[in-house]
Amino acid sequence: MPSAPFPAPRAAAAASGPTVAIDIGGTKIAGALVHPDGTMTATTRRPTPRGADADGVMAAVAEVVADLSASPLWASAVRCGIGSAGPVDTSRGTVSPVNIGAWREFPVQERVVAELAARGADLPTVLAGDGVAMTAAEHWLGAARGHANALCMVVSTGVGGGLILNNQLHPGPTGNAGHIGHISVAFDGELCACGGHGCVESIASGTAIARWALDQGWTPPGRAGAGPGVNGARGGGDASAAGVAAAAAEGDPIALAAFDRAGRALAAAIAATATLVETDIAVIGGGVAAAGDTLFAPIRSHLAAYATLSFVKDIQVVPAMLGTHAGLIGAAAAATMLLPSPPSSS
């Protein structure tokens, strides 16, 4: 069971100043000063530039840093955390986000450190992938709070994740530990974008769910030339995973099968991870998780067939709690967990 509430990712950091948090994604670049109790001030954001070169995207990050530096609390910041879409290589401080084509092996950590220094903040800085950042956030203030060993996952256009082991964030040497989306759960499965076969992501991502449903003959309700769906429901031709979820909620058999297939893949991967490192909770966030029991019911049902050993059979599967706040809170939590605590001023 979760332990008593605690104020910060590590008790030693409870009395420290705020953390500069930067969240970099394909649609927006956000920033905030995140305080030891998890509250955020000076929040700001910019749209991620489209059609810009690498420096053009970095200019938006620099604008976010400039906004944060205008806060009266800027001088009291003690560290910086950067959460970014991946792939990431934290050993080199570089990112190559799938959804930011201008950045390939871009030295984002070095560039952010330079922006901080230019504004009078020479801060220790950590880079984390978005799955690892979400894991840190959920362990600090979300659904994994109080659990010493947890798997947290983002199920969206891709499938990512991270691990908490013995109350410590475990990003691995390059920041990619816990990347559950590329565990193979179907040896003869289709080719994944990563080059492997039968990966969880190739079955359970939102993209994969929608593609499989369409391949099986599902027609989005309301699409031109299509009749009404089950019970007359019309979805405006939404051929995304959200559209499949809406059809599944109305009882469409192909849509239900698509989510059952995804749930089975996720269950197999969760059970494998729990068996390997003895996690006792799996927290699932991301756009696909918004389907609620349409996704969670088949995961839990299939988990019973995969998590059979005594030390994993009671693993909990729960939805993430922090939603859109997970990126900034997670960037701050990752920095607090991975960097040494600043010396006391007393």
Side-chain angles (χ1 to χ4, degrees):
M1 294 295 293
S3 61
F6 50 93
R10 299 191 324 168
S16 66
T19 298
V20 177
I22 299 171
D23 177 27
I24 300 170
T27 59
K28 61 95 173 60
I29 297 166
L33 298 181
V34 180
H35 299 271
D37 63 355
T39 58
M40 297 188 293
T41 58
T43 55
T44 184
R45 61 187 292 166
R46 294 287 190 283
T48 303
R50 296 292 183 187
D53 62 10
D55 286 336
V57 177
M58 184 62 210
V61 179
E63 290 175 7
V64 166
V65 174
D67 288 350
L68 297 178
S69 71
S71 167
L73 298 173
W74 177 254
S76 64
V78 294
R79 65 181 75 81
C80 175
I82 308 163
S84 176
V88 303
D89 184 343
T90 58
S91 67
R92 299 172 58 219
T94 61
V95 296
S96 302
V98 171
N99 49 11
I100 304 178
W103 279 6
R104 290 295 171 266
E105 298 186 7
F106 184 77
V108 67
Q109 183 169 335
E110 176 185 324
R111 295 289 296 271
V112 168
V113 166
E115 290 294 331
L116 295 170
R119 299 184 181 279
D122 186 11
L123 300 178
T125 300
V126 158
L127 169 66
D130 51 7
V132 171
M134 175 264 196
T135 299
E138 291 291 334
H139 184 249
W140 179 16
L141 297 174
R145 183 170 180 165
H147 290 267
N149 300 286
L151 165 67
C152 297
M153 305 169 61
V154 179
V155 184
S156 186
T157 52
V159 178
L163 291 166
I164 296 288
L165 301 177
N166 296 324
N167 278 317
Q168 298 294 317
L169 189 62
H170 182 74
T174 67
N176 292 289
H179 202 336
I180 193 170
H182 296 289
I183 289 178
S184 177
V185 292
F187 294 144
D188 298 321
E190 65 181 270
L191 182 67
C192 178
C194 75
H197 285 269
C199 293
V200 175
E201 185 171 299
S202 70
I203 299 171
S205 70
T207 305
I209 290 169
R211 182 177 63 245
W212 187 86
L214 291 166
D215 287 348
Q216 301 306 305
W218 174 70
T219 301
R223 174 172 282 188
V230 175
N231 298 327
R234 292 188 178 275
D238 183 357
S240 70
V244 181
E250 293 290 335
D252 184 289
I254 295 177
L256 285 166
F259 270 89
D260 185 76
R261 180 174 179 265
R264 184 178 182 185
L266 290 166
I270 290 167
T273 303
T275 302
L276 189 65
V277 295
E278 291 198 58
T279 54
D280 60 11
I281 190 169
V283 177
I284 304 178
V288 177
D293 281 348
T294 299
L295 177 68
F296 284 90
I299 292 174
R300 291 168 179 146
S301 175
H302 287 294
L303 196 58
Y306 293 110
T308 57
L309 294 170
S310 61
F311 60 93
V312 295
K313 66 183 181 64
D314 294 324
I315 186 170
Q316 301 176 53
V317 179
V318 300
M321 292 175 58
L322 297 178
T324 57
H325 297 299
L328 287 171
I329 291 174
T336 304
M337 296 178 82
L338 297 173
L339 288 169
S341 297
S344 174
S345 57
S346 59

